[in-house]
Amino acid sequence: MQTYKNVRVLYFVCLFSLLSLSEHFASGKGQKQSLRFFAVGDWGGLPFFPYKTFVEEAVAYQMGKLAEKFQANFVISLGDNFYTKGVKDSSDARFKNTFEDVFSAKPLHIPWLISAGNHDHYGNVSGQLEYSKKSKRWKFPSLYYTRKFQVPSSNATVEVLIIDTVLLCGKTDPDAKVPGQPLPYTIDHTQADKQLQWIKKKLKSSKATYLLVCGHYPVYSVAEHGSTDCLLKKLLPMLKKYKVSAYISGHDHNLQMFPKL
C-alpha cells in the first residue's frame, strides 16, 4: 500500500471472497463457486475541480482490473462518498465527477451498497438516497438496510447489514484540527434507539451462513481516530452475542484487520 504525502484523502479497498469450495479457489477452479465483493471506504474525491484525486483514480483502475479478473458480484461503500460536505441534492455534479466518471470500468457496473459517513452527513444525505432512483448501480434505499446473497453452487448464504454509525454515535467536529470522537450532543437519541432496535432484530433473526455488518465508524482502530467509544458500548456487545462474521468499516484512512470482534 502506497502513501502519497501530498494527498490528504487516501483510500483503502479489499476484495473479499466467500467461498463454497475453498479447495477450488486454491486450485483456481472456484471462479463460479464463490461470492466476491469489494469493500472500499473514504473515496470521496475533492470538493473542487477536478473533483477527484490521483489516488482515487488509481484505486478505481485496479478495482476495475480485479473485478474483471475475479468476476466481482458487488461493492460495499463504507461512507465518506463525497468530500468534504457531501452533496447538495440528487442532481449534484459530484455524482458524475467523483463517482460515475472515476469508477467507470464496465466490470464495476455492479451493485454498490452505499452507506453514509460523517462527511456525507455534513451535506444533504437525502440527496444520496434519491440518487438511487437515477442510477442502476447506486443502491442506497435508506440510511440502514439489509441485503441477502446466495453463495453460488452451495447452500451458503450471506446477509449484509448496512448501518448508519453517524446516526448512532453523532457527527464529528468538521473544524477539529485533531481527529476525535463523534460528538454526543449531535445524536438524535430517538433515531439512534430506533436503529439499535432494528439492528438487534435483524441480527437475532438472521439465518445466514455469513453475517456481515458494515458502517463508517470503526469499532476498533489503532489509527488517528481511534476506536469508537459509542460503538464499543452500543454495538460490539450485539456483534458478539449474535456471532457476527465480520464488522467492516471506514473512517480511518488505512487498512486494518482484527482477527476477533
Side-chain angles (χ1 to χ4, degrees):
M1 176 178 293
Q2 290 181 302
T3 300
Y4 298 82
K5 295 181 179 179
N6 61 331
V7 177
R8 171 65 182 88
V9 181
L10 303 181
Y11 311 84
F12 65 88
V13 60
C14 301
L15 177 64
F16 291 87
S17 185
L18 297 175
L19 304 176
S20 58
L21 296 172
S22 58
E23 65 272 16
H24 280 236
F25 177 68
S27 65
K29 299 177 181 179
Q31 196 84 333
K32 294 183 180 180
Q33 280 124 354
S34 54
L35 181 74
R36 295 175 177 178
F37 64 95
F38 291 99
V40 58
D42 307 87
W43 48 265
L46 297 169
F48 47 80
F49 184 83
Y51 306 106
K52 56 189 176 183
T53 68
F54 167 75
V55 182
E56 183 191 6
E57 290 184 299
V59 168
Y61 175 79
Q62 292 299 332
M63 284 178 65
K65 292 294 185 182
L66 288 170
E68 181 177 20
K69 180 178 180 179
F70 293 106
Q71 299 177 24
N73 300 97
F74 59 94
V75 179
I76 298 175
S77 177
L78 298 165
D80 281 2
N81 309 315
F82 301 100
Y83 288 110
T84 52
K85 295 184 178 180
V87 298
K88 296 177 181 177
D89 53 40
S90 63
S91 298
D92 198 312
R94 293 295 304 279
F95 287 107
K96 180 178 186 298
N97 296 330
T98 303
F99 176 62
E100 301 288 359
D101 288 352
V102 179
F103 299 95
S104 56
K106 187 175 180 180
L108 293 178
H109 282 257
I110 53 181
W112 283 60
L113 309 185
I114 307 296
S115 64
N118 51 307
H119 285 275
D120 301 307
H121 276 280
Y122 295 151
N124 178 9
V125 72
S126 295
Q128 294 195 39
L129 299 178
E130 287 295 317
Y131 190 67
S132 299
K133 300 175 182 178
K134 299 182 177 183
S135 171
K136 292 183 179 180
R137 56 175 171 161
W138 186 272
K139 307 298 182 182
F140 200 6
S142 59
L143 292 176
Y144 47 95
Y145 58 99
T146 182
R147 287 289 181 270
K148 298 178 182 179
F149 301 90
Q150 185 82 31
V151 178
S153 303
S154 80
N155 294 322
T157 57
V158 180
E159 185 167 7
V160 180
L161 268 68
I162 302 292
I163 66 172
D164 192 314
T165 56
V166 181
L167 281 186
L168 285 179
C169 299
K171 299 178 181 179
T172 54
D173 183 354
D175 300 316
K177 294 182 180 180
V178 179
Q181 293 288 315
L183 304 171
Y185 67 83
T186 64
I187 300 174
D188 181 330
H189 290 282
T190 300
Q191 291 299 319
D193 291 344
K194 181 180 179 181
Q195 185 182 182
L196 278 174
Q197 290 304 313
W198 178 89
I199 294 171
K200 181 179 180 179
K201 179 180 178 181
K202 291 297 181 182
L203 295 182
K204 185 177 181 179
S205 63
S206 179
K207 304 298 182 184
T209 312
Y210 302 97
L211 181 55
L212 308 178
V213 179
C214 306
H216 184 64
Y217 293 147
V219 174
Y220 297 122
S221 175
V222 296
E224 61 177 2
H225 292 101
S227 301
T228 307
D229 294 341
C230 163
L231 296 181
L232 289 170
K233 180 181 179 180
K234 296 180 179 180
L235 183 64
L236 182 60
M238 286 196 288
L239 301 182
K240 290 182 175 181
K241 180 177 181 178
Y242 297 109
K243 296 179 171 53
V244 169
S245 305
Y247 176 73
I248 308 173
S249 63
H251 199 46
D252 272 320
H253 297 178
N254 51 48
L255 184 61
Q256 304 176 44
M257 185 181 73
F258 297 88
K260 294 183 179 180
L261 289 170

